[in-house]
Amino acid sequence: MSQAETRAEPAPPSTPAAPAPAGRLRLIIILGALTAVAPLSIDMYLPALPELSKDLSTGTMQAQLTLTACVIGLALGQAIAGPLSDTFGRRRPLLIGIAAYAVASLLCVLAPTVETLIALRLVQGATGAAGIVIARAIVRDRHDGVAAAKFFSALMLVNGLAPILAPVLGGQLLRLTPWPGVFAVLAGIGTLLFFAVLLGLRETLPPEARATGGVRATLTTFRRLLADRIFVGYALALGLSFAGMFTYISGSPFVLQGIYDMSPQAYSLVFGVNSIGIVAAGQVGGWLAGRVALERLLAVGLGISAVGGIALLAAVLTGAGPAVVLPALFLGVTAQGLILPNSTALALNGRAPRVAGSASALLGVAQFGLGGAAAPLAGLAGPDTAVPMAAAIAVLAILAALAVAIIARPGRVASQD
């Protein structure tokens, strides 16, 4: 398979046709819920991080490592589940992954030490990753280009509810149960997702369209994708942007509750408002897709993210209060609604279905690998300063914009393809 074939091989004749409106809605709900595994697993227990630190007699950075472990698991799991779905179809690896996620979540309830919890969170992330990577591949099985961008934006109506509801639900759960109760709820959610896939999602990659050649062919596909500057540029934009958002996710509980004296419930409200911004931006982007070039929509999102990050850093360095810090955070976070669906659609644009799982896997590795690496940055100087979090968010936003401008170079795509 040549590099050109990797980018533009046409879908096989048996690729499933677009579903009817009712079927499309069901598909959006199920795939959106599957991609919501990540924000549910990460965000639901954010309000519990300070309590978890005290209960397990550990420090801020160790508590944040439970987030890092989950995100690293999400990255590694996608690197495995994506290629497997290219070879064995989408349903079988997806069902196995979601079932294992439910079991791992239940085991987190019983974790006696922070080290045990970190290990279990790694497993939880790795198994839950199947839903995320295969959901993207299913979208690519059916759609490409602008249609894919619109579908990814539609998914944000569903998975965008997860970061809104998860910390709010987590904050309310803490009124009724200690932090392990959050993981019991995640186990229940995993069980519901298993039955939703089993009963409501059919196979979208027919046998004749599946990849062959085993591990060697997968590694060859990975190598060709990594040699494609367009794919790499958009993958880095996705990963670096998510890393900035994850720095906010991992650092904001300590910054907003510890430095700005917010209660867990007030923090959950702020987090929810920011998540509403992501959903709203995603829907605006979906409406504009087809009217405005995807490259331009992405550029606007990256620009807003950089402005928000720089404003946040300036606010923290000058000692400004929540009246300045919170709007800057909102600006930077909201931009993800334009960045995530458009960078994903542009990276997957033209990929043959038989390599869509592998391409989706590399996107996941970039997204969650960089996110996991960035998580501890917010706590480098301890819980008494917001400077590391703000600086990391600003720098990562700028690097994401540079990845598109310098590596992907969208203005020169037509002349080089």
Side-chain angles (χ1 to χ4, degrees):
M1 184 189 305
S2 69
Q3 183 171 325
E5 289 173 326
T6 302
R7 282 195 53 78
E9 181 181 327
S14 57
T15 296
R24 176 183 170 86
L25 178 60
R26 182 178 69 248
L27 190 64
I28 288 173
I29 292 172
I30 293 175
L31 296 184
L34 288 170
T35 57
V37 164
L40 284 173
S41 301
I42 294 167
D43 300 344
M44 188 177 288
Y45 91 135
L46 286 179
L49 280 178
E51 178 191 322
L52 181 149
S53 299
K54 295 177 182 177
D55 190 36
L56 296 181
S57 301
T58 190
T60 298
M61 184 168 288
Q62 288 77 13
Q64 288 172 332
L65 283 175
T66 64
L67 288 174
T68 302
C70 182
V71 175
I72 291 174
L74 287 165
L76 295 176
Q78 289 185 72
I80 297 170
L84 285 177
S85 76
D86 286 340
T87 302
F88 298 105
R90 310 304 185 199
R91 265 177 60 90
R92 201 185 332 171
L94 181 54
L95 286 168
I96 293 171
I98 292 300
Y101 170 84
V103 174
S105 299
L106 192 60
L107 291 175
C108 286
V109 175
L110 308 174
T113 65
V114 70
E115 291 80 13
T116 303
L117 183 60
I118 289 171
L120 288 171
R121 288 282 281 168
L122 181 68
V123 175
Q124 184 193 37
T127 51
I132 303 165
V133 66
I134 294 175
R136 278 196 302 256
I138 289 172
V139 174
R140 177 57 195 95
D141 288 342
R142 294 182 174 277
H143 303 290
D144 199 6
V146 170
K150 287 179 175 290
F151 202 98
F152 283 124
S153 295
L155 291 184
M156 296 195 74
L157 280 172
V158 180
N159 66 35
L161 291 175
I164 296 170
L165 298 177
V168 175
L169 178 59
Q172 297 307 314
L173 280 174
L174 291 178
R175 294 178 178 269
L176 306 173
T177 176
W179 62 266
V182 174
F183 292 103
V185 172
L186 288 174
I189 291 172
T191 303
L192 292 175
L193 284 174
F194 176 85
F195 285 106
V197 172
L198 182 66
L199 302 175
L201 189 64
R202 63 188 181 91
E203 182 59 62
T204 60
L205 187 66
E208 64 270 20
R210 295 175 188 174
T212 58
V215 175
R216 178 175 296 180
T218 297
L219 294 176
T220 299
T221 299
F222 279 166
R223 186 171 64 251
R224 286 174 174 160
L225 287 167
L226 291 173
D228 183 340
R229 64 166 179 80
I230 298 170
F231 177 84
V232 170
Y234 290 128
L236 282 176
L238 174 69
L240 291 165
S241 295
F242 185 81
M245 188 168 71
F246 197 74
T247 302
Y248 150 73
I249 289 172
S250 64
S252 60
F254 298 96
V255 169
L256 297 183
Q257 294 182 68
I259 297 177
Y260 296 103
D261 297 322
M262 288 186 179
S263 68
Q265 289 70 39
Y267 166 75
S268 298
L269 179 61
V270 169
F271 198 90
V273 169
N274 288 343
S275 300
I276 289 172
I278 297 178
V279 174
Q283 300 322 297
V284 171
W287 180 78
L288 289 174
R291 298 174 173 86
V292 179
L294 301 185
E295 293 86 354
R296 181 167 296 179
L297 289 174
L298 177 59
V300 170
L302 291 169
I304 294 173
S305 177
V307 169
I310 293 170
L312 174 64
L313 180 59
V316 169
L317 290 175
T318 57
V324 179
V325 169
L326 294 181
L329 275 174
F330 178 81
L331 197 63
V333 172
T334 293
Q336 304 306 313
L338 290 174
I339 295 171
L340 301 183
N342 289 299
S343 58
T344 301
L346 287 165
L348 293 178
N349 188 30
R351 307 291 166 192
R354 66 170 50 92
V355 301
S358 297
S360 179
L362 287 181
L363 287 179
V365 170
Q367 182 177 0
F368 291 97
L370 289 172
L377 296 178
L380 281 178
D384 299 324
T385 175
V387 171
M389 183 188 79
I393 290 173
V395 170
L396 289 166
I398 293 169
L399 289 177
L402 291 176
V404 171
I406 297 175
I407 300 175
R409 292 175 288 172
R412 297 175 60 183
V413 170
S415 64
Q416 295 204 17
D417 279 356

